[in-house]
Amino acid sequence: MATSLVLADVHSNLPALQAVLQDAGRHAIFDTVLVLGDVVGYGAEPNECIERLRDYPCVIVAGNHDLGSVGRADLSQFSAEAAAACAWTAGRLSLASASFLSALALSAVQPPFMLVHGSPACPVWEYVVSASRARALRASCPQSHCLVGHTHVPAAYDMEAGASLAASAGARLSLRDGRFLVNPGSVGQPRDGDARAAYAVFDTDEAVLQWFRVGYDVEAAAAAIIRACLPVSLAARLRVGC
Ligand code: ZN
């Protein structure tokens, strides 16, 4: 059985990433890990998260925080706390991590998917939050389906019907018929009111994608943020998942 792990918005949250890798490992051995950007930013362990992901065969695209942390995006485009976290991250990155982030592409193809952080039309910055927008974006997606991150909210849209589909923990979506735009949710900074880390698994043989949530040591991640003198609000939001 060929299986891909689908991750987005890790945001330097090592306890969340470790919990996801461990939990996902119970379902299958992964041929590929598809990472939809924002490996770094907000959290306190950027190098550790990059190194952990590089243990796996990964396809990774750049998110706005990845770009902002290596001078590839102007920090004036970020909120104050996001810009502060990018600047902090820039000062912490190892040489290897910085060159890794500097080399990330803005989009990638891993059939049947196009991978971007934002949207197929605006790969870094657009938040896709409606079925009507997902439908309009189908012309910009050269693959059958599109995997996105950025909103930190699990979601699935039928790009042909312009409909929202279930994407809560346990939901399963067959990709055999139709074209879909899918967000696995955020590993390291969920924003849907559920503090648990989010991820998805794609079974290539069955063409079925499934969403999962797993609890992790939120207090360890929050304590690392506070120790690092990052904005305290970044620690607080992890506890409530928004
Ligand atoms: Zn993000």
Side-chain angles (χ1 to χ4, degrees), residues 21-37:
L21 293 171
Q22 190 175 19
D23 193 59
R26 294 186 301 118
H27 307 300
I29 295 169
F30 298 102
D31 306 284
T32 333
V33 182
L34 308 177
V35 185
L36 308 167

Side-chain angles (χ1 to χ4, degrees), residues 25 53 89 174 201 207 214:
L53 284 174
T89 302
S174 170
V201 169
V214 60

Side-chain angles (χ1 to χ4, degrees), residues 9 11 37-38 40 42 64-65 117 150-152 186 189 191:
D9 297 285
H11 280 297
D38 280 1
V40 304
Y42 293 136
N64 52 317
H65 286 255
H117 183 60
H150 199 36
T151 66
H152 297 210
S186 169
Q189 198 197 79
R191 292 181 190 162

